[in-house]
Amino acid sequence: MMMMDSTTEASGSSLESLMSSFNARITHLQELVIARNMFPASSMADLSAVDAAVKAMELQVQAIKDRLREETQAIPKTKKLISASLKQQKKLQNMSLHAPSQLPDRVTVSDSNTSRCLLPEFSVQDPGLEALNLKVNEEPAPLPKEKKGRSSPPMWHVTASELDSLSSYMRGRLTLEKVNAAINDMASYAEANAQLIIAPKKKLAENLWEKALEIRDIATMEGVKGKHFFLEADIKGPSLKLDNTGKAILTVLRHLGRINETRVGHHRIIILQKPN
């Protein structure tokens, strides 16, 4: 706002300066008109120059008026954007203070599964049970964790009252069906990434292995660990796309607390979260 005020003041000062110069030229023109009657042959060149200067000044004055009108019309929109940005900043700060760094239920399940695998190994004293103990030790450790520790991505759909509570400039032409269809797409993106995290290499195509390694690295980062997420690059429809409508939907879902965002390297990470 201060920049806009300073721009307006500068434009006003420039306009006053031009008007003063314009009046001086008019006075000079009047003097030349009087002189023309005295020296008609030599005054034509001066009058032509004055006429050209006056026309150039008129164009400059009109350009400044147009600029001032545009700035004045933009002030209400800018105020609304600043207000919405401050509200969004406050909401994100509150969310960051209360968001857990990881999901405790997953840690509990993992510890439980680990203890089930380890306890028989140290508690078996009967030689007759050695074969059973060997069989337990031969099973891959990650498999029980994957089956019991993984859950489907959440789909916290937006209600009609939530959508109606948004300001008209934020809601735009979005409908409840479009927004909730985008939430379904985001859940499917997150589910695809979850599958890449747990899938063994032999079950992945060669072109997916590199992405799987990248997704697994991202999944261990602070703020992402234990949460359902997807990359901005994963957004490819069918309902959610990286067009103007898709960007408007993401803005609405951030405002309603359905998603949170962070950056890992050159990737923009979108995290699904439960609304307040």
Side-chain angles (χ1 to χ4, degrees):
M1 289 297 296
M2 293 179 63
M3 291 180 62
M4 293 179 61
D5 291 342
S6 61
T7 302
T8 304
E9 291 176 0
S11 300
S13 175
S14 178
L15 180 59
E16 291 177 0
S17 177
L18 283 173
M19 292 301 295
S20 176
S21 177
F22 186 71
N23 291 332
R25 289 297 184 101
I26 291 175
T27 303
H28 184 59
L29 178 60
Q30 291 173 344
E31 293 175 354
L32 288 175
V33 169
I34 296 172
R36 179 183 180 184
N37 297 327
M38 298 175 61
F39 307 98
S42 62
S43 61
M44 293 304 297
D46 291 337
L47 288 174
S48 298
V50 170
D51 183 61
V54 168
K55 288 181 179 179
M57 291 172 62
E58 288 176 346
L59 292 175
Q60 292 179 0
V61 170
Q62 186 60 44
I64 292 176
K65 287 182 178 179
D66 293 341
R67 180 66 176 177
L68 285 173
R69 183 170 60 254
E70 292 174 1
E71 294 290 346
T72 303
Q73 292 174 351
I75 288 175
K77 296 180 181 179
T78 305
K79 287 182 178 179
K80 289 182 179 179
L81 288 174
I82 292 174
S83 177
S85 299
L86 292 175
K87 291 180 181 178
Q88 179 73 358
Q89 181 183 14
K90 185 178 294 184
K91 189 165 187 177
L92 289 174
Q93 289 173 345
N94 292 334
M95 289 165 53
S96 65
L97 291 175
H98 296 89
S101 59
Q102 60 182 6
L103 297 179
D105 56 338
R106 294 194 176 192
V107 177
T108 303
V109 172
S110 299
D111 292 344
S112 174
N113 291 332
T114 303
S115 63
R116 289 177 187 174
C117 293
L118 294 178
L119 283 176
E121 180 180 354
F122 292 99
S123 61
V124 172
Q125 301 295 333
D126 189 347
L129 296 179
E130 289 181 358
L132 179 60
N133 186 28
L134 179 61
K135 184 177 180 181
V136 171
N137 291 334
E138 289 176 353
E139 293 180 356
L143 291 179
K145 296 180 181 180
E146 293 169 3
K147 292 180 180 179
K148 295 188 177 182
R150 183 172 58 87
S151 61
S152 298
M155 288 189 289
W156 290 296
H157 290 116
V158 174
T159 63
S161 59
E162 285 180 306
L163 191 62
D164 292 339
S165 68
L166 299 175
S167 58
S168 58
Y169 81 89
M170 180 177 289
R171 185 173 63 250
R173 296 184 179 180
L174 297 180
T175 63
L176 192 63
E177 292 74 16
K178 288 182 181 179
V179 175
N180 285 333
I183 290 177
N184 294 338
D185 281 0
M186 291 191 296
S188 65
Y189 304 152
E191 175 64 22
N193 285 336
Q195 293 293 339
L196 289 177
I197 292 173
I198 65 172
K201 182 177 182 180
K202 62 182 180 180
K203 291 186 178 181
L204 290 175
E206 289 186 17
N207 60 334
L208 291 178
W209 179 240
E210 185 175 349
K211 181 180 180 180
L213 293 177
E214 194 170 30
I215 292 295
R216 292 175 187 183
D217 288 340
I218 293 173
T220 62
M221 298 294 179
E222 186 69 25
V224 181
K225 186 176 181 181
K227 299 178 182 179
H228 295 284
F229 68 92
F230 61 94
L231 312 184
E232 185 181 52
D234 295 331
I235 301 177
K236 297 178 181 179
S239 298
L240 181 61
K241 300 178 182 179
L242 282 178
D243 52 12
N244 290 335
T245 301
K247 292 176 182 178
I249 290 174
L250 292 175
T251 299
V252 165
L253 293 179
R254 280 196 300 269
H255 183 76
L256 294 177
R258 296 305 196 277
I259 59 173
N260 190 16
E261 295 180 8
T262 186
R263 295 197 73 89
V264 175
H266 62 279
H267 288 297
R268 181 183 177 193
I269 313 300
I270 301 173
I271 304 169
L272 306 184
Q273 63 181 16
K274 186 176 181 180
N276 295 332

